[in-house]
Amino acid sequence: MVLIQNGLNGLGRPLSRNRPTVNNLCRNCLLALRQQGQASLATASTAQGAAVILDPDSTNSHPTPAAASPIFLRTTYQVKASVLLSRPPILTRDLTPFEKAYFLYQRRLNERLALPFTRYFYYQRGTPGDVEWKRKMRERQTPARDIGAYNAYSEEGWNDELLLGSRESEPDEQLDSILRDAEAEMPKVEEGPDAKRPKALQRPLPRVTEADKSGDTKRLDRAMQRSLYLIVRKKGEPRWWFPESLMENRESLHTAAERIIVQTGDVNMNTWVVGNIPLCHYKKVYAQAIEDRETAVQTRGEKIFFMKARILAGQANIANNKFGLEEFQWLAKDEIQKIFHPSDWNAVKNVLVER
């Protein structure tokens, strides 16, 4: 194709076929020309920079060119898959002081707005149930069992605010009041060897477990209000990180995540890999590139794709892992920040949940 300059006076002056302008070349052609130019320059510099080595002990006067440094024509990154295996929160979080006061106020407000309780519909006059009901009303002044001593129909019914330091809004205090009320309804223990003793009321389990008290970070029954993430450490290395592995045999990220979980924590975990799309991508550049002189390939770093996964049951067991792991922990987000390298933490801090 003949290229014509712009303007009427340039109609009869065609440009050279061997010198096309840069603006008339496609992107692929520019890339090919650039690679050819770099290769030719590297060959010329190698030929010009060849040194002459003479052996002083030898009588041979022919020069010997020095070995030229290899030319790396391709730069690559290692593609890895990593798994953010988490245990979701098991308990709801603790209420703030404002939330505790608000919920108690709503329950007391409901006592003022609701219709009075008609006890004769449930208890006949003079029956033991009626006598027990009157006793309870004298103590707490309200049918509700968890709002403290409060009479919504008295002249002081408007005064439903708590004094400073009162514990009526604390969940533990409300639980104790409900249990005391239930224990009062239990039948009394009969005397004698053949007396049947009633079963004791079973209290709810505490929100703070033994693992929390002992600080055992390998157990899953700790920090019940938070999300815990599995992090591992290789033998002889101080760095803590999430389970990861190189991609194998053109596998998908979802398949790679399932393989990494099994090869890291064994098969005694009931897990679920959420979706086929990674949560985030981390590009890690090495301080010193890894050079392969045989294939002329230079590895500059790693590209890590993080997959989200949940553990539903079981526990991790790294005794027979495939990655040389020595130790593992289940940590929350703020605990991970304390032991992660700053660059690693900045790469994943936005995808880890607070709870």
Side-chain angles (χ1 to χ4, degrees):
M1 178 179 180
V2 178
L3 302 178
I4 308 299
Q5 293 182 352
N6 295 332
L8 296 176
N9 55 359
L11 294 176
R13 290 178 295 175
L15 297 177
S16 174
R17 296 174 181 267
N18 298 328
R19 296 180 60 187
T21 61
V22 176
N23 296 330
N24 292 281
L25 289 179
C26 65
R27 183 178 179 181
N28 294 333
C29 296
L30 283 175
L31 182 61
L33 291 174
R34 188 178 300 171
Q35 292 178 352
Q36 292 177 2
Q38 292 177 356
S40 60
L41 289 176
T43 304
S45 61
T46 303
Q48 293 177 2
V52 177
I53 301 178
L54 296 178
D55 189 359
D57 298 334
S58 176
T59 57
N60 186 11
S61 60
H62 296 285
T64 303
S69 60
I71 303 171
F72 295 97
L73 301 179
R74 189 161 60 95
T75 301
T76 63
Y77 287 83
Q78 291 183 342
V79 179
K80 291 185 176 182
S82 183
V83 182
L84 299 180
L85 182 60
S86 62
R87 187 223 65 189
I90 300 176
L91 302 178
T92 57
R93 63 173 177 83
D94 292 332
L95 299 178
T96 62
F98 174 78
E99 291 171 338
K100 295 175 184 177
Y102 174 78
F103 289 132
L104 180 63
Y105 167 76
Q106 290 293 328
R107 288 196 293 271
R108 287 189 171 184
L109 179 62
N110 181 70
E111 291 295 317
R112 295 206 308 266
L113 299 180
L115 294 176
F117 180 79
T118 306
R119 70 174 186 272
Y120 296 118
F121 180 79
Y122 298 95
Y123 307 108
Q124 296 181 0
R125 293 177 182 270
T127 60
D130 184 44
V131 175
E132 181 68 16
W133 170 260
K134 293 178 180 179
R135 182 190 65 81
K136 292 179 180 179
M137 288 297 294
R138 285 193 300 268
E139 294 179 357
R140 62 194 186 200
Q141 303 178 12
T142 178
R145 299 176 295 176
D146 56 349
I147 63 174
Y150 172 70
N151 189 357
Y153 299 100
S154 65
E155 295 181 355
E156 297 292 330
W158 58 270
N159 188 13
D160 56 358
E161 296 183 358
L162 295 178
L163 299 178
L164 184 63
S166 59
R167 291 184 50 82
E168 282 83 355
S169 62
E170 296 294 332
D172 294 338
E173 181 67 22
Q174 296 173 4
L175 176 62
D176 291 339
S177 63
I178 294 175
L179 291 177
R180 286 195 302 267
D181 187 84
E183 289 174 354
E185 298 178 356
M186 296 178 61
K188 296 182 179 180
V189 179
E190 299 178 359
E191 298 180 357
D194 299 334
K196 296 182 179 180
R197 297 183 179 274
K199 295 182 179 180
L201 292 178
Q202 185 177 2
R203 298 180 62 90
L205 296 176
R207 298 173 68 90
V208 179
T209 62
E210 294 295 333
D212 292 320
K213 298 177 182 179
S214 62
D216 189 357
T217 57
K218 293 185 178 181
R219 294 175 57 176
L220 284 168
D221 57 340
R222 61 175 292 270
M224 310 286 276
Q225 309 173 29
R226 307 287 303 278
S227 292
L228 300 181
Y229 293 90
L230 176 64
I231 61 172
V232 294
R233 182 176 63 83
K234 291 186 177 181
K235 188 175 183 180
E237 296 184 5
R239 180 184 180 232
W240 287 92
W241 191 236
F242 300 104
E244 66 177 8
S245 173
L246 290 171
M247 302 290 290
E248 296 181 357
N249 301 327
R250 302 177 63 86
E251 61 184 354
S252 64
L253 289 174
H254 186 97
T255 305
E258 293 178 340
R259 174 181 57 83
I260 292 172
I261 292 175
V262 174
Q263 293 181 352
T264 299
D266 212 347
V267 297
N268 294 325
M269 289 191 299
N270 185 6
T271 58
W272 170 45
V273 179
V274 184
N276 299 315
I277 302 175
L279 285 176
C280 65
H281 161 246
Y282 177 30
K283 181 179 179 181
K284 181 180 179 181
V285 180
Y286 296 152
Q288 181 67 31
I290 301 176
E291 301 175 351
D292 190 349
R293 298 178 179 271
E294 295 182 359
T295 59
V297 174
Q298 189 180 48
T299 304
R300 297 293 304 277
E302 302 174 357
K303 292 184 178 180
I304 308 173
F305 296 88
F306 296 91
M307 298 295 292
K308 180 180 179 180
R310 294 284 199 186
I311 178 171
L312 307 177
Q315 174 61 291
N317 182 14
I318 63 172
N320 300 320
N321 71 91
K322 307 297 183 181
F323 306 116
L325 305 177
E326 184 180 23
E327 194 174 357
F328 74 95
Q329 296 185 82
W330 293 97
L331 300 182
K333 181 177 180 179
D334 54 347
E335 298 171 335
I336 292 176
Q337 183 181 5
K338 298 177 182 178
I339 63 175
F340 264 30
H341 191 272
S343 61
D344 295 339
W345 169 249
N346 292 331
V348 298
K349 65 180 180 180
N350 293 330
V351 297
L352 303 181
V353 296
E354 296 288 344
R355 289 196 62 246

